[in-house]
Amino acid sequence: MRVLVTGGLGYIGSHTCVQMIEAGMTPIIVDNLYNSKTTVLARIEKLTGVLPLFYQGDICDRDFLDNVFHLNDIDAVIHFAGLKAVNESVDAPLEYYKNNVHGTLVLVEAMQAASVNTMVFSSSATVYGEPATTPVTEEFPTKAINPYGRSKLMVEECLVDIQKAHPEMSITLLRYFNPVGAHPSGEMGEDPQGIPNNLMPFISQVAVGRREYLSVFGNDYPTVDGTGVRDYIHVLDLADGHLAALNHKGKEAGLHIYNLGTGNGFSVLQMVEAFSKSSGVEVAYQIAPRRPGDIAECWADPGKAKRELHWEATRTIDDMTTDTWRWQSNNPNGYPDA
Ligand code: NAD
Ligand code: UFG
């Protein structure tokens, strides 16, 4: 199967490309390098023996996409490309709606022009807003509370309408919980530019000495120890979820929605402790005020994906922290420049 992978040089996309190649699929990568580097390609080749085809360009550029579809006989699209920082989205909503919403619409137009009917889309648990209870099932009401979340929800709603009008299409919305971890080889991992927004890269940068201490955003939530609780999922489990989506629903016309999470919640302090144990490095932290917009706790009911995609997360918190540490300690400054 030949799959166009937008954003394929990014964190989740690159790990998915490795798993795809291992499974005998052919990823064809499109990325504008906004948040990634071409040196990721060499790591994919090192791990798999295959250097995937890569086209540098923007998903908002219809001519560029038409050319990629024209040059390759593409069976399906996995659509990772987009902007993902919540804080940044508050300051630059236009960029978020342009890249995430408009970019997806241009991509769907190009797919239709090339008669490609299958798409797997990177959505997010952020579309549930503050869930009334946990675990969260796919039937929970959706509500976004920031421009990033709204852009994901708008794309979901657009894709629902588009699929309804084009019943031959197969569109799968994957709502990720909190992706963490790295490839166990230590060759690939998360490489955020600037100060990390997310917990795990922040912890690992403290451990490797790039940052002094972690600010724990709030210890007065109604949770196990007062700190925020999330459903952390190993990036390779998440990657495998995309393969399962393509294999089980990709050929079935319709609109399919799945939570990709483990079904377990861990607090910030539990993650700090797990990371210190795996790395042998004490992670310094200070309690700070709550981060605006954060919710107390959220974890998935991943039962639907298990039943229908025959997929479930198998990697443990120890795998997530150990693999992150191997990546971070081998590559303290992330990927080299091209
Ligand atoms: P990432 O930033 O590492 O990867 C995204 C890739 O897309 C980058 O390589 C970037 O250069 C590229 N890109 C961005 N805009 C583009 C454009 N207009 N044209 C072409 N390429 C473009 O992010 P990630 O963590 O791998 O996330 C992948 C997807 O999953 C995103 O859509 C994100 O919103 C979604 N998601 C991520 C998380 C998370 O916590 N990492 C959680 C839920 C959903
Ligand atoms: N946290 C800290 N200190 C930090 C960073 C985070 O205490 O420096 C805490 C947060 O307050 C929260 C938990 O760690 O309790 C997780 O925070 P992240 O920023 O890692 O993750 P979020 O759950 O806030 O959001 C992430 C992505 C969103 C995505 C969502 C659900 O950033 O894009 O998961 O998938 F939508």
Side-chain angles (χ1 to χ4, degrees), residues 5 24 28 34 38 106 108 129 176 187 194 213 225 234:
V5 183
I28 295 149
Y34 176 82
T38 51
V106 175
V108 174
Y176 311 158
E187 295 286 346
Y213 62 88
D225 57 17
H234 196 293

Side-chain angles (χ1 to χ4, degrees), residues 80-338:
F80 293 107
L83 307 181
K84 62 163 185 176
V86 172
N87 294 349
E88 189 184 66
S89 79
V90 175
D91 297 331
L94 249 179
E95 288 305 309
Y96 274 70
Y97 294 124
K98 196 173 84 186
N99 269 277
N100 296 2
V101 184
H102 172 67
T104 302
L105 300 182
V106 175
L107 175 63
V108 174
E109 276 182 345
M111 285 174 65
Q112 291 185 339
S115 302
V116 175
N117 283 324
T118 303
M119 176 190 268
V120 175
F121 172 64
S122 298
S123 190
S124 168
T126 196
V127 300
Y128 296 115
E130 174 129 43
T133 55
T134 44
V136 178
T137 71
E138 290 81 355
E139 282 70 44
F140 271 41
T142 51
K143 178 178 181 290
I145 52 176
N146 54 59
Y148 166 71
R150 268 189 286 281
S151 75
K152 287 286 167 189
L153 195 48
M154 281 178 198
V155 171
E156 283 203 0
E157 289 168 348
C158 292
L159 291 175
V160 168
D161 288 342
I162 291 167
Q163 198 285 325
K164 242 183 237 160
H166 298 274
E168 70 282 7
M169 292 192 84
S170 166
I171 297 186
T172 305
L173 312 178
L174 298 181
R175 294 175 176 163
Y176 311 158
F177 282 66
N178 289 57
V180 297
H183 195 274
S185 61
E187 295 286 346
M188 272 183 21
E190 188 169 8
D191 183 18
Q193 307 302 302
I195 301 171
N197 295 303
N198 296 119
L199 178 67
M200 192 65 139
F202 208 106
I203 290 180
S204 66
Q205 290 194 8
V206 172
V208 84
R210 276 174 70 179
R211 320 233 163 242
E212 206 183 331
Y213 62 88
L214 169 77
S215 295
V216 174
F217 298 139
N219 67 347
D220 57 354
Y221 285 107
T223 61
V224 56
D225 57 17
T227 65
V229 169
R230 297 289 184 277
D231 185 339
Y232 296 95
I233 175 169
H234 196 293
V235 66
L236 283 187
D237 278 329
L238 195 63
D240 290 340
H242 293 73
L243 275 64
L246 277 180
N247 287 332
H248 291 283
K249 288 288 162 188
K251 288 168 205 86
E252 213 175 284
L255 193 283
H256 317 288
I257 305 182
Y258 298 99
N259 285 339
L260 295 187
T262 65
N264 302 308
F266 285 86
S267 75
V268 175
L269 292 181
Q270 286 169 337
M271 293 304 283
V272 168
E273 193 188 327
F275 195 94
S276 297
K277 190 165 151 260
S278 304
S279 63
V281 178
E282 206 57 45
V283 175
Y285 69 85
Q286 291 185 5
I287 304 298
R290 289 182 180 194
R291 184 171 65 177
D294 270 356
I295 58 176
E297 56 185 12
C298 180
W299 61 89
D301 177 341
K304 188 179 175 203
K306 185 176 178 185
R307 286 190 302 278
E308 297 185 11
L309 303 181
H310 309 291
W311 167 91
E312 69 182 314
T314 57
R315 292 159 179 94
T316 63
I317 284 289
D318 188 46
D319 296 327
M320 301 178 209
T321 51
T322 303
D323 291 341
T324 301
W325 178 238
R326 194 177 297 109
W327 153 254
Q328 186 72 76
S329 49
N330 286 355
N331 306 269
N333 296 308
Y335 291 108
D337 289 327

